[in-house]
Amino acid sequence: MHTIKEIQKEIIEDFAMFEDWIQKYEYLIDLGKELAPIDQKYKISENLIKGCQSRVWLHAEYAEGKIIYTADSDAIMTKGIVAILINVLSGQNPSEIATAKLDFINEIGLKEQLSPTRANGLVSMIKQMKLYAIAFSKQQ
Amino acid sequence: MLDVSKIRSQFPILSRKVNGQNLVYFDNGATTQKPQIVIDAESKYYANQNSNVHRGVHFLSGLATDKFEESRNTIQNFIGAKHKHEIIFTKGTTDSINLVASGFKTFLNKGDEIIISEQEHHSNIVPWQICCEQSGSNLKVIPILDNGEMDMDFFYNLLSENTKLVAVSHISNALGTINNVEKIIEKSHSVGAKVLIDGAQAASHISLNMQKLDADFYCFSAHKMFGPTGVGILYGKEDILNALPPYQSGGEMIKEVSFSGTTYADLPHKFEAGTPNISGVVAFKSAIDFISNLEVNKIAKYEEELLQYATSELLKIEGVRIYGTSKKKSAIISFNLEGLHPYDIGMIVDKMGIAIRTGHHCAQPIMERFNIPGTVRISLAVYNTKEEIDLCINAIKKAKIMLS
């Protein structure tokens, strides 16, 4: 298992290969399509992170010192970014998730997608992922 | 015929690039761009005329007051109001509606009814919910039909002697439907109810005459008609405005203040507490002059042509569904592509320089009515062109390919 830092570095390298926004967006769309589905029983309003425009469902499970996140979104571009966040944080231990600096977001040019004004639920999603981590770290 | 390239040349922002592409601005329902004369009027006001209005005896205060009141005259003429003091300056349509809702609740008793429609913008829903909650009256809702028109038969059945106010939009911001407000006003008056029209989407697209229309209140915003943000109009009939209690209190709105009691100023100042957005009001006159020079009827005719073209081009894309298909429509097209989320489409076309709106357009009940999370909305203005529509259609096609 790679560390959060290592995974971020890989993602930055992946995105550096894209020549234009079209390639970048197509990659995000592919990631969105490939995201492992969330168990339907977790796609409930309690797990819904409300954005103004797109919605995100997030579920977290804690086992053997690691948090496994599963998620979904009704918009495919949002889902692509959700997939990246899961790639970075899922399978890590709670204290690392809680203190993780997600620098890659700026580096790969997705800052605007993760600004509160976008209202796509992603800012709240990161916050919720970290809140789960803080809660689970108290169980450690 | 309008010379659209000449019109475009008056809007500096239309020549800027977005994401390296020429800007195609199709979000006019949210706010319109500003012509140079409006921008100049704001800056000229601050460079040459700035002072507080209705206060001092000095030269500049007089000049600022004259300019401010000149705007009121222009707006009175533009909407055919009987009296100048029936024009109240507010912050915008939302503010105008809140002003009426706040005062109107004092006229209401338990069991009284206010009627709105399912089509309303949140700003013509929430103030009435609060008004009803605080006065013990009931809110009734006119449903809309599949084509986006109000169910008028349902409305006639809702009307009764309990109806005290009917508040509906002239044009739906989310669907573009031009509502039959003349009929709504006539029928409402027949049971003694007052009528408020939310004209935010109508004011520069439909020729207005308050004396003919006979609405009791009519609200609109400067920024949706080439004017500055933060300026709105509440038109109200003189007798009702006189009866309505003040909204905000403070300076300007008083006649005499003492600790034994305060008397309020006459209209319109009774509703204009505090220092208003003077530069905005002054520049709004230039926006109205801009519209009047083009003539509202000519604007409407050209926009209708754009609407027809955009609608037919859009419908050529497989899987397009347009929400709001009434025969009488303003140049607003709300649509979805089968299987695709509006947000994804908006994100991709933005990269191609196309500014369109995606989401629920502050009209969640309509989205619920059609059981959709939102729509993509194209809203056109007089400076838009068929070439821009082609660019937008191509961008949508590209988005469809990328997302499918």
Side-chain angles (χ1 to χ4, degrees), chain B residues 166-238:
Chain B
V166 177
V168 292
S169 56
H170 199 159
I171 294 176
S172 155
N173 76 306
L175 303 174
T177 319
I178 302 176
N179 294 307
N180 190 348
V181 288
E182 294 80 4
K183 197 87 196 161
I184 290 170
I185 292 164
E186 182 202 319
K187 288 283 180 182
S188 304
H189 284 168
S190 74
V191 297
K194 304 294 182 201
V195 182
L196 177 142
I197 304 292
D198 168 357
Q201 296 295 336
S204 68
H205 306 276
I206 292 180
S207 176
L208 296 173
N209 186 309
M210 289 304 126
Q211 292 174 80
K212 254 195 226 157
L213 187 65
D214 202 28
D216 301 286
F217 301 104
Y218 197 96
C219 313
F220 55 100
S221 299
H223 74 96
K224 291 191 201 289
M225 42 198 301
F226 316 112
T229 55
V231 178
I233 299 297
L234 168 65
Y235 158 83
K237 283 183 186 164
E238 180 186 38

Side-chain angles (χ1 to χ4, degrees), chain A residues 71-119:
Chain A
D72 197 2
S73 174
D74 53 355
I76 196 77
M77 297 281 292
T78 306
K79 206 169 159 182
I81 301 170
V82 164
I84 297 178
L85 290 168
I86 287 192
N87 184 10
V88 173
L89 296 178
S90 193
Q92 305 290 343
N93 76 52
S95 58
E96 274 167 26
I97 295 169
T99 57
K101 280 206 173 94
L102 301 172
D103 299 328
F104 78 102
I105 292 166
N106 278 342
E107 300 261 347
I108 64 176
L110 287 181
K111 193 185 168 195
E112 60 191 53
Q113 302 309 329
L114 288 154
S115 81
T117 55
R118 277 278 163 168

Side-chain angles (χ1 to χ4, degrees), chain B residues 304-316:
Chain B
E304 171 69 19
E305 200 181 308
L306 290 180
L307 172 70
Q308 295 305 334
Y309 182 71
T311 304
S312 70
E313 288 303 303
L314 200 58
L315 285 173
K316 287 179 190 163

